[in-house]
Amino acid sequence: MTVSLERDKATGVAVVTLDRPERLNAITLAMAGELAAVWRGLRYDDEIRAVVLTGAGGRAFCTGVDRDDAGRLPQPSSPYTIDDPLLTIGPKANDLWKPVIAAVEGMACGGAFYLLGEAEFLIAGATAAFFDPHTTYGMVSAFETIHMAQRMPFGEVARMALMGSAERISARRAYETGLVSEVTEPGGALAAAREAAAVVASYPTEAVQGTVRALWTAREAVRSQALAQAPHLVTLGNLPADRQAELFTGRGAGYRTR
C-alpha cells in the first residue's frame, strides 16, 4: 500500500498519508486508485469528521505523477480528450464533503495541486516550497493552474506556472498570497493540522459539512467550467512524450526561491 490511513476515533480525525518517500510521494496509477478508495471509504465512516492529508518522509508532500508509471498509460488520439490518472485522486472528486486540511512539508509541485486544490486549507512547515514545472518540460499546466487560481491571486498563479522549475514559492510567500493559512516551524505542519482538524471535528457534523458544501458552491461554477477546457488545452499544447523526455534529461537543477 502506498497510501496509509490512520483513524483517531477519540478526536474524530483521520490522517491520510502519501507513503512513497523514496520517490518523493510521486503518484503511480495504483496509488491514484488507492487514494480514490480511501476518500470514498471515508464517506461512510461516521466516526471520522475531519481529515488531515500529508506526505511521508518530510522531503516532499507530493511531486505529482510518477512519470515512469504514467508513461505507460495510453492516451486517446483525439485532441479533445485525455486519460489523466490524477483526475480522481482528490476528496471532492470522490464526493467527500468532510473537511480536509493539508499538512505540507518539503516540496509540493505539479500534480500535487490536484490534491491541494481540493483541501479546505493548507498548513505548511517553514521549509515547504511550491512550484509547477510543467512549462519547463514542454507540458501545459492546465488542471494545476485552474486549481491554484481558486486559491492565489492571478498574477501569482501565472508567475508560478510560467516560471516553471526556475522558481519556487517559499512557505512564507505562500502565506502572504493566501495559499497557506499557517506556517509552522519545520516539521510542525502535521501537528498543527491535527490540532485544527480536532477542533473542527468537535463541532456538529451537519453544520460543518454544510459549511464545506456552501464554500465549494461559491466557487464550483467557475472551477467546473474551467476544468472542462483543461483536457483540450493539455492535448493541444503538450510536446510529444519523447520531446518531453529530452527536456527532463537536459535541464539543469538550478532554481531560486522567493
Side-chain angles (χ1 to χ4, degrees):
M1 298 290 288
T2 55
V3 178
S4 67
L5 175 63
E6 172 195 345
R7 296 178 176 89
D8 185 344
K9 295 182 179 180
T11 62
V13 173
V15 177
V16 176
T17 304
L18 310 177
D19 198 7
R20 295 187 73 219
E22 74 286 354
R23 292 287 290 178
L24 301 178
N25 299 318
I27 298 172
T28 63
L29 302 181
M31 190 176 181
E34 289 178 35
L35 273 167
V38 165
W39 298 129
R40 297 188 74 81
L42 285 171
R43 295 185 308 159
Y44 297 94
D45 191 339
D46 292 339
E47 293 185 297
I48 297 303
R49 299 178 296 280
V51 184
V52 173
L53 173 64
T54 193
R59 293 175 59 203
F61 168 80
C62 175
T63 53
V65 68
D66 190 315
R67 286 183 59 84
D68 290 344
D69 198 63
R72 297 194 293 270
L73 183 68
Q75 292 296 329
S77 59
S78 170
Y80 299 103
T81 60
I82 187 171
D83 195 350
D84 187 337
L86 302 187
L87 286 179
T88 58
I89 64 171
K92 306 304 178 291
N94 287 282
D95 202 33
L96 178 70
W97 299 100
K98 299 179 180 182
V100 176
I101 302 170
V104 180
E105 299 282 356
M107 292 182 289
C109 64
F113 298 141
Y114 286 71
L115 289 168
L116 297 181
E118 293 196 5
E120 270 56 63
F121 58 91
L122 282 57
I123 296 176
T127 55
F130 304 83
F131 64 103
D132 187 352
H134 279 74
T135 54
T136 303
Y137 303 118
M139 295 181 287
V140 174
S141 178
F143 294 99
E144 295 79 9
T145 51
I146 290 168
H147 281 300
M148 290 299 98
Q150 311 298 311
R151 296 186 172 273
M152 300 168 67
F154 178 88
E156 292 294 324
V157 179
R159 177 167 179 151
M160 180 173 67
L162 295 172
M163 292 292 289
S165 61
E167 186 172 271
R168 297 185 181 183
I169 297 175
S170 66
R172 176 192 60 81
R173 183 59 180 161
Y175 175 78
E176 292 171 350
T177 60
L179 174 59
V180 167
S181 66
E182 179 183 351
V183 178
T184 72
E185 73 280 359
L190 178 56
R194 281 180 180 269
E195 183 178 353
V199 171
V200 175
S202 72
Y203 298 151
T205 299
E206 292 80 3
V208 168
Q209 292 191 27
T211 299
V212 169
R213 199 64 184 93
L215 286 165
W216 282 85
T217 298
R219 64 197 292 189
E220 193 60 26
V222 172
R223 191 178 79 108
S224 59
Q225 289 179 22
L227 288 172
Q229 301 302 315
H232 320 325
L233 300 173
V234 170
T235 55
L236 291 169
N238 276 12
L239 288 178
D242 57 342
R243 288 285 291 118
Q244 292 179 27
E246 290 174 10
L247 291 173
F248 264 94
T249 56
R251 296 283 182 179
Y255 62 90
R256 72 185 189 96
T257 301
R258 65 181 181 98

